[in-house]
């Protein structure tokens, strides 16, 4: 992970403090001895992160799937940094203080069905 300290020379688009992935990203950096990112830009917007990364030399911390098309097209590239602690389950997140909608229940059913079909294949 010799590349990791070098990212501090660039703007780094990170998930904001209230995002679900933020604690994992922070723990990863702390485990690597990086406590402060001086040129940090916090955003959860994929549209902003993509536009900013494409227009600059910024490092964008995002799920590979979000940037997959740009990576495949050669517009963005991944850095050779192993980050196994940031690989985790992907799921639906809902606020616990709000009633679940019928649409959310339907979406969950569709996702579970598709995953079960994929697993069975």
């Amino acid at each position: 992970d010799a590349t990791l300290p070098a990212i501090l020379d660039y703007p780094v688009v990170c998930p904001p403090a209230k995002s679900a992935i933020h604690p994992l990203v922070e723990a990863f950096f702390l485990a690597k001895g990086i406590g402060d990112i001086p040129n940090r830009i916090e955003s959860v917007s994929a549209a902003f992160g993509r536009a900013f990364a494409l227009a600059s030399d910024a490092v964008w911390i995002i799920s590979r799937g979000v940037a997959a098309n740009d990576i495949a097209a050669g517009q963005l590239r991944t850095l050779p940094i192993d980050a196994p602690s940031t690989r985790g389950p992907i799921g639906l997140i809902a606020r616990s203080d709000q009633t679940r909608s019928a649409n959310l229940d339907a979406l969950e059913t569709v996702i579970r069905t598709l995953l079960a079909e994929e697993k069975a294949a």
Side-chain angles (χ1 to χ4, degrees):
D1 288 344
T3 305
L4 192 58
I7 74 168
L8 300 178
D9 295 333
Y10 301 92
V12 180
V13 181
C14 296
K18 292 187 177 183
S19 68
I21 191 73
H22 178 83
L24 291 174
V25 171
E26 289 300 306
F28 170 76
F29 280 121
L30 287 173
K32 300 294 184 178
I34 298 173
D36 183 41
I37 300 172
N39 296 314
R40 174 189 299 251
I41 299 168
E42 293 190 350
S43 177
V44 72
S45 169
F48 168 77
R50 179 180 185 271
F52 191 73
L54 289 171
S56 70
D57 57 359
V59 174
W60 182 23
I61 299 171
I62 192 67
S63 300
R64 182 181 296 266
V66 174
N69 290 339
D70 293 310
I71 293 167
Q75 295 176 300
L76 295 176
R77 64 185 175 97
T78 60
L79 295 175
I81 298 170
D82 190 27
S85 64
T86 62
R87 294 183 196 123
I90 298 173
L92 298 173
I93 299 174
R95 293 180 56 140
S96 61
D97 62 344
Q98 292 184 345
T99 305
R100 290 174 54 109
S101 71
N103 289 337
L104 179 59
D105 289 339
L107 176 61
E108 183 177 354
T109 299
V110 168
I111 291 171
R112 288 183 186 279
T113 301
L114 290 172
L115 288 172
E117 290 172 0
E118 185 176 308
K119 188 175 180 180

